């Protein structure tokens, strides 16, 4: 279906990958993984024709229909939801709209117009032989949570997360032969992610998807493309299958590398001792040749680096953690929260879930006293020390100070080694600690916020979408850290692997016109799903 021949991509100061030769087959769903900055999105853009490679070529079946997930959520503001999905098949969309215009304004006695109508009808039959596009689009939108009375509204009326759902529906509606998806689960709530998984599992063509959602990769992918060492290796199976295989390969490679390094050291010692001795010169020359043949560079160290996240509270929470009494909040006369009552006990590790826009972030901001409720009380236990990870960290992390200076500003008494250790744990090493906060990428801002939480030593963490922009290795490390954390947690997340890793209590906010309703369940997320299904 698609093949790359000696594909390479370089920038002025960096080589992303070189001489990539892979063949992507029909019926296979590939997960493209790799460290942040390895070039995954660039590679996908080259495959989809958006970027030109530095060298090499791409061979695609000329009859294949290509589908690429759009990234501009604001590109269709003046289209209805239905039309924004329909335009995913541009040929069908144009034909239908031209037909509608002719029927509305044209002179149907005009022979040329009637001929044109016949041509347009042929296009519609070719693209939609069962005349089912309206039913199909309505069903897709309904599955994504858009009610029938909402589907004719304009895209401009939607929030960012809902706009992204429409972009997904748009790329899936035409049923492309080759499907390219870059981070399709970003901004999606859990029901939408489940819907997407089921749709992609039924995809019959070729698919390449980039995602940092481990559960999603496990559910959807039949093969993994691992971008590392500036090349791509293909593995059969899902993400967990790849993880087991790659870990085994890495250990074998480490053993081989250590063996070669030891051999190199012994050869160098021999040469140094005997190269000046005439009687040993021949042996020294022989060993020198052996040394030159030892290709240590061929055993490269992976570009992946695993962070080491450890949250150590400065003190233990006493008998009281957090009480919420009759919390209510409205925006522009729309009720978001109404009489919310929660009692959080010491040891509760809560996953706060719910559809986009239901009020999860609003509740978090009220809890940490960044936002005042219209009514109600928030009572923190006397021994609690909060650590807060806001959803929009760009407002929190700004300025021209260095990473080290920025962290020190939150704890003037902290030892220098503590600060550098907190940065090092999140992979900011050496000179990186002295770069400006303003130069950080989205993923780096999330990492330094985790450094701050580690340094502060809070015993009650409130985390609002902490996995955004984090790579798989960081998300796995965060899950382990929350599991091992001896304190309280309230975490908003749509990442099921993360939720499964730490949560012993699930609180779901359900949308309601009189304010979100609360489902409070003590147990794991898996147990919660089983209970809700029965």
């Amino acid at each position: 279906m698609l093949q790359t021949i000696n594909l390479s991509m370089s920038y002025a100061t960096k080589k992303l990958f070189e001489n990539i030769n892979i063949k992507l087959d029909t019926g296979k769903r590939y997960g493209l993984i790799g460290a942040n900055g390895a070039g995954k999105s660039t590679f996908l853009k080259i495959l989809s024709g958006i970027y030109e490679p530095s060298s090499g070529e791409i061979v695609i079946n000329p009859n294949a229909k290509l589908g690429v997930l759009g990234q501009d959520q604001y590109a269709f503001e003046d289209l209805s939801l239905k039309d924004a999905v329909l335009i995913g098949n541009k040929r069908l969309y144009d034909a239908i709209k031209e037909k509608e215009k002719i029927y509305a304004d044209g002179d149907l006695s005009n022979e040329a117009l009637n001929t044109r109508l016949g041509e347009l009808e042929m296009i519609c039959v070719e693209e939609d032989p069962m005349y089912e596009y309206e039913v199909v689009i309505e069903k897709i939108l309904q599955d994504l949570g858009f009610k029938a009375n909402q589907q004719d509204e304009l895209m401009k009326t939607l929030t960012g997360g809902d706009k992204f759902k429409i972009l997904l529906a748009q790329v899936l509606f035409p049923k492309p032969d080759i499907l390219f998806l870059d981070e399709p689960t970003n901004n999606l709530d859990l029901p939408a992610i489940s819907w997407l998984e089921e749709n992609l599992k039924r995809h019959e063509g070729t698919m390449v998807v980039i995602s940092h959602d481990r559960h999603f990769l496990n559910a959807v992918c039949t093969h993994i493309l691992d971008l590392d060492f500036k090349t791509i290796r293909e593995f059969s199976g899902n993400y967990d299958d790849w993880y087991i295989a790659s870990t085994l390969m890495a250990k074998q490679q480490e053993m081989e590398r250590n063996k070669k390094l030891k051999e190199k050291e012994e050869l160098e010692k021999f040469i140094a001792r005997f190269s000046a001795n005439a009687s040993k010169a021949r042996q020294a020359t022989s060993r020198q040749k052996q040394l030159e043949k030892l290709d240590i560079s061929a055993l490269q160290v992976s570009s992946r680096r695993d962070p080491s996240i450890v949250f150590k509270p400065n003190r233990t929470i006493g008998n009281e953690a957090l009480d919420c009494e009759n919390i209510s909040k409205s925006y522009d006369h729309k009720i978001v929260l109404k009489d919310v009552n929660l009692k959080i006990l010491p040891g509760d590790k809560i996953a706060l879930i719910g559809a986009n826009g239901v009020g999860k972030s609003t509740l978090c901001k009220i809890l940490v006293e960044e936002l005042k409720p219209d009514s109600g009380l928030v009572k923190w236990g006397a021994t609690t020390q909060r650590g807060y990870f806001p959803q929009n960290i760009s407002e929190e992390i700004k300025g021209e100070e260095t990473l080290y200076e920025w962290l020190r500003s939150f704890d003037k008494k902290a030892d220098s080694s503590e600060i550098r250790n907190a940065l090092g744990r999140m992979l900011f090493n050496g000179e990186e600690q002295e770069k400006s906060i303003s130069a950080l990428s989205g993923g780096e801002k999330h990492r330094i916020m985790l450094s701050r939480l580690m340094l502060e030593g809070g015993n009650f963490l409130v985390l609002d979408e902490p996995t955004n922009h984090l790579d798989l290795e960081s998300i796995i490390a965060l899950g382990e850290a929350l599991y091992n954390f001896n304190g309280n947690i309230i975490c908003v997340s749509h990442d099921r692997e993360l939720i499964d890793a730490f949560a012993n209590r699930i609180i779901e906010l359900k949308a309601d016109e009189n304010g979100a309703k609360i489902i409070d369940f003590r147990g794991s997320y898996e147990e919660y799903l089983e209970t809700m299904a029965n």
Side-chain angles (χ1 to χ4, degrees):
M1 184 66 76
L2 182 150
Q3 185 176 0
T4 68
I5 302 172
N6 295 327
L7 203 67
S8 300
M9 188 66 181
S10 299
Y11 293 108
T13 58
K14 186 176 183 181
K15 182 181 288 184
L16 288 180
F17 45 82
E18 58 183 338
N19 297 327
I20 303 293
N21 291 282
I22 58 171
K23 186 179 179 184
L24 305 181
D25 299 321
T26 301
K28 293 181 180 179
R29 301 186 298 272
Y30 300 89
L32 178 59
I33 64 171
N36 281 349
K40 301 185 298 294
S41 291
T42 299
F43 182 73
L44 206 59
K45 284 183 170 71
I46 290 172
L47 293 186
S48 57
I50 297 171
Y51 287 177
E52 283 288 329
S54 300
S55 61
E57 60 179 308
I58 301 162
V59 180
I60 298 180
N61 185 328
N63 298 318
K65 188 188 297 181
L66 191 66
V68 182
L69 176 61
Q71 299 296 320
D72 185 359
Q73 300 173 21
Y74 302 95
F76 307 97
E77 293 291 84
D78 294 322
L79 294 184
S80 70
L81 272 57
K82 285 181 180 177
D83 281 350
V85 177
L86 176 60
I87 205 170
N89 186 333
K90 187 67 164 55
R91 188 167 181 252
L92 178 60
Y93 174 87
D94 288 343
I96 289 170
K97 294 305 171 184
E98 190 177 343
K99 270 174 58 181
E100 290 176 354
K101 191 173 188 310
I102 290 174
Y103 280 123
D105 306 325
D107 178 6
L108 296 182
S109 63
N110 184 300
E111 187 177 340
L113 274 184
N114 277 289
T115 300
R116 181 56 182 161
L117 278 173
E119 293 169 352
L120 295 171
E121 194 62 39
M122 286 301 297
I123 293 173
C124 291
V125 170
E126 289 170 4
E127 296 296 326
D128 183 32
M130 303 299 291
Y131 291 93
E132 60 182 3
Y133 79 89
E134 285 187 284
V135 175
V136 171
I137 290 174
E138 287 170 5
K139 178 68 166 59
I140 291 174
L141 289 173
Q142 187 177 342
D143 289 344
L144 283 169
F146 301 103
K147 296 177 181 177
N149 61 1
Q150 188 184 4
Q151 295 179 8
D152 289 314
E153 293 180 4
L154 298 182
M155 285 284 287
K156 65 177 67 173
T157 64
L158 299 182
T159 61
D162 281 344
K163 288 182 201 289
F164 191 77
K165 289 180 183 179
I166 300 298
L167 293 186
L168 273 173
Q170 183 186 88
V171 74
L172 295 175
F173 162 65
K175 296 183 178 177
D177 303 304
I178 301 175
L179 185 58
F180 295 135
L181 305 173
D182 192 349
E183 295 289 1
T185 60
N186 276 5
N187 305 309
L188 294 186
D189 48 37
L190 286 166
I193 294 173
S194 295
W195 172 86
L196 179 60
E197 285 177 359
E198 293 306 313
N199 270 267
L200 295 183
K201 282 191 280 189
R202 294 195 296 268
H203 181 71
E204 296 177 351
T206 304
M207 184 185 82
V208 182
V209 58
I210 298 171
S211 178
H212 291 152
D213 186 328
R214 181 175 171 178
H215 188 285
F216 175 78
L217 291 174
N218 280 332
V220 167
C221 295
T222 62
H223 292 73
I224 296 294
L225 301 175
D226 181 17
L227 178 51
D228 201 0
F229 309 116
K230 298 182 175 60
T231 190
I232 288 180
R233 293 182 294 180
E234 181 180 337
F235 293 80
S236 292
N238 60 20
Y239 179 82
D240 282 351
D241 295 327
W242 165 84
Y243 187 80
I244 293 168
S246 64
T247 301
L248 179 61
M249 288 173 60
K251 288 189 179 301
Q252 290 173 337
Q253 192 176 55
E254 183 181 3
M255 289 170 63
E256 181 67 20
R257 183 178 177 84
N258 290 339
K259 180 182 175 183
K260 284 197 173 186
L261 285 171
K262 186 176 181 181
E263 187 179 346
K264 179 174 181 285
E265 184 182 358
E266 289 174 352
L267 288 170
E268 285 173 339
K269 284 180 179 178
F270 182 89
I271 292 165
R273 283 171 58 203
F274 296 114
S275 58
N277 187 324
S279 64
K280 299 285 187 179
R282 182 174 293 179
Q283 286 177 274
T285 302
S286 175
R287 296 295 172 92
Q288 179 67 43
K289 288 178 180 178
Q290 281 182 260
L291 182 60
E292 289 168 358
K293 288 178 182 179
L294 270 179
D295 188 5
I296 305 295
S297 63
L299 298 172
Q300 301 178 63
V301 178
S302 173
S303 58
R304 288 185 177 83
R305 295 184 295 166
D306 294 339
S308 174
I309 305 175
V310 179
F311 298 118
K312 290 184 178 179
N314 294 328
R315 63 187 299 184
T316 303
I317 293 178
N319 295 325
E320 296 180 346
L322 173 64
D323 284 350
C324 301
E325 298 179 2
N326 299 316
I327 299 294
S328 296
K329 184 66 182 178
S330 299
Y331 293 108
D332 299 325
H333 308 295
K334 180 186 176 184
I335 301 172
V336 179
L337 302 172
K338 179 70 172 176
D339 295 331
V340 172
N341 290 282
L342 288 173
K343 185 173 184 63
I344 314 300
L345 302 175
D348 281 347
K349 295 184 178 182
I350 297 167
L352 181 58
I353 65 174
N356 288 337
V358 75
K360 303 185 297 296
S361 292
T362 296
L363 181 56
C364 286
K365 288 177 182 177
I366 290 172
L367 295 182
V368 298
E369 299 171 336
E370 279 208 352
L371 185 66
K372 286 188 176 181
D374 297 334
S375 61
L377 294 173
V378 176
K379 297 180 180 178
W380 285 91
T383 57
T384 56
Q385 181 183 349
R386 299 194 300 268
Y388 178 46
F389 192 116
Q391 187 180 82
N392 187 8
I393 62 170
S394 59
E395 294 178 6
E396 294 275 330
I397 303 175
K398 53 189 177 182
E400 295 303 321
E401 58 211 309
T402 67
L403 308 194
Y404 176 84
E405 291 167 343
W406 186 83
L407 265 195
R408 175 166 282 290
S409 69
F410 296 101
D411 190 349
K412 300 287 188 183
K413 296 179 181 178
D415 186 82
S416 175
S417 61
E418 285 183 78
I419 297 171
R420 297 204 180 278
N421 186 45
L423 287 168
R425 284 185 176 277
M426 292 313 300
L427 310 180
F428 295 109
N429 300 312
E431 293 181 2
E432 285 188 323
Q433 299 186 0
E434 304 304 321
K435 73 177 180 181
S436 170
I437 282 287
S438 62
L440 295 180
S441 66
E444 288 173 328
K445 286 183 177 180
H446 275 67
R447 280 162 40 208
I448 197 173
M449 183 60 80
L450 291 172
S451 293
R452 172 180 158 181
L453 290 178
M454 283 190 279
L455 184 69
E456 289 176 332
N459 55 22
F460 198 125
L461 302 180
V462 179
L463 312 174
D464 192 355
E465 295 284 7
T467 62
N468 287 349
H469 301 290
L470 291 183
D471 57 23
L472 277 159
E473 288 73 29
S474 298
I475 294 171
I476 292 169
L478 177 60
E480 291 174 353
L482 295 181
Y483 173 77
N484 292 317
F485 177 56
N486 185 26
N488 277 60
I489 300 164
I490 295 176
C491 179
V492 177
S493 181
H494 299 309
D495 190 302
R496 285 151 302 174
E497 289 287 339
L498 181 73
I499 293 171
D500 285 338
F502 78 88
N504 58 24
R505 184 176 175 184
I506 308 297
I507 294 177
E508 180 173 6
L509 299 187
K510 286 270 192 179
D512 187 274
E513 59 185 18
N514 296 317
K517 292 182 178 179
I518 285 182
I519 300 174
D520 191 348
F521 178 84
R522 288 194 172 274
S524 69
Y525 184 60
E526 189 174 337
E527 291 168 336
Y528 174 68
L529 291 178
E530 289 175 2
T531 301
M532 296 301 289
N534 295 330

